[in-house]
Amino acid sequence: MSPQISPSILSADFARLAEEAEAVRGADWLHVDVMDNHFVPNLTLGLPVVESLRKSTDIPIDCHLMIEDPDRWAPQYAEAGAGSVTFHVEAAAAPVRLAREIRSLGARASMALKPATPVEPYEDLLPELDMLLIMTVEPGFGGQSFLDIMLPKIRRTRQLIDRHGLQLWLQLDGGISAETIERCADAGADVFVAGSAVYGADDPAEAVRRLRELAATATDSAPWVHRH
Ligand SMILES: O=C(CO)[C@H](O)[C@H](O)COP(=O)(O)O
Ligand SMILES: [Fe+2]
């Protein structure tokens, strides 16, 4: 799959969200970070904002739920019209049931792993998912530095996906920029969240194009691509 970019509105102006969505026209997704001040030490926004954003942009919404009790809340984000709903496995009581429920409501089901959560225990769950999110910072805040120590996990996950012949997307979130995206694409990721690197740029739409181009160039020369 050619690389996709999902700008994170965590780094946007929350008082002008519709305009901020327009500023990244051409992006594949709009990444919305929902934080509850329990699962992570920060508080952002919730369902009403997602419902409003959905009506004010054509860009599909990629909801990243950093909340406790996603089993209760995640389906409501699918019902609110999010195109993709990501829950954290560390918070989910029944991840398989939850992924199936999200899918049954018409959204893509995605599961996130914090940096210290290994992928291997979840190998058998992967067919239930449309996307796996590997956090490349500790969740909670934008603008943190990319954790290079995640690269081996990204490579191992790509190998697992390929070994099982799965179509699920591999998303990274945290510290993705023009400086880091190439090594991430080379390691096997194909969906990239970028907050500060996009909304901190003079021209956010141009920043999205440049990130996509850098990832595509790195992917073209990555050995894993040719195994398909
Ligand atoms: O989930 C997140 C933080 O928990 C954000 O999506 C992420 O941090 C994006 O911001 P940046 O690209 O600036 O790191
Ligand atoms: Fe996020």
Side-chain angles (χ1 to χ4, degrees), residues 153-221:
K153 178 167 150 184
I154 299 161
R155 279 192 214 100
R156 287 198 310 275
T157 306
R158 167 51 58 193
Q159 284 164 5
L160 276 182
I161 293 171
D162 288 356
R163 197 184 313 141
H164 289 280
L166 300 171
Q167 297 301 314
L168 89 153
W169 299 348
L170 180 52
Q171 184 182 59
L172 304 185
D173 184 7
I176 302 297
S177 68
E179 284 70 51
T180 57
I181 198 166
E182 289 164 291
R183 63 193 113 124
C184 293
D186 180 69
D190 46 19
V191 186
F192 303 92
V193 177
S196 41
V198 168
Y199 281 105
D202 291 337
D203 182 343
E206 174 55 30
V208 168
R209 282 192 292 273
R210 178 163 152 67
L211 286 172
R212 200 191 278 120
E213 209 175 280
L214 286 169
T217 310
T219 307
D220 281 348
S221 53

Side-chain angles (χ1 to χ4, degrees), residues 8 10 31 33 35 64 66 135 139-143 173-175 193-196:
S8 168
L10 188 59
H31 186 83
D33 289 302
M35 304 186 189
H64 176 195
M66 285 161 275
M135 290 302 299
F141 302 94
D173 184 7
V193 177
S196 41

Side-chain angles (χ1 to χ4, degrees), residues 77-157:
Y77 286 85
E79 280 167 346
S84 174
V85 178
T86 300
F87 60 87
H88 269 266
V89 71
E90 302 87 355
V96 172
R97 185 172 64 208
L98 182 53
R100 289 184 178 183
E101 196 176 347
I102 293 169
R103 277 180 163 176
S104 76
L105 293 165
R108 294 177 62 86
S110 163
M111 191 173 86
L113 308 176
K114 287 165 75 170
T117 305
V119 65
E120 286 78 7
Y122 304 106
E123 182 173 348
D124 293 339
L125 266 68
L126 298 182
E128 300 288 335
L129 303 170
D130 297 300
M131 184 167 81
L132 187 76
L133 163 55
I134 294 182
M135 290 302 299
T136 43
V137 298
E138 287 294 348
F141 302 94
Q144 303 180 73
S145 297
F146 176 78
L147 291 172
D148 259 304
I149 54 166
M150 289 297 108
L151 285 167
K153 178 167 150 184
I154 299 161
R155 279 192 214 100
R156 287 198 310 275
T157 306

Side-chain angles (χ1 to χ4, degrees), residues 10 34-45 66-67 139-142:
L10 188 59
V34 177
M35 304 186 189
D36 66 353
N37 201 30
H38 291 277
F39 183 71
V40 288
N42 198 3
L43 184 68
T44 54
L45 48 80
M66 285 161 275
I67 59 172
F141 302 94

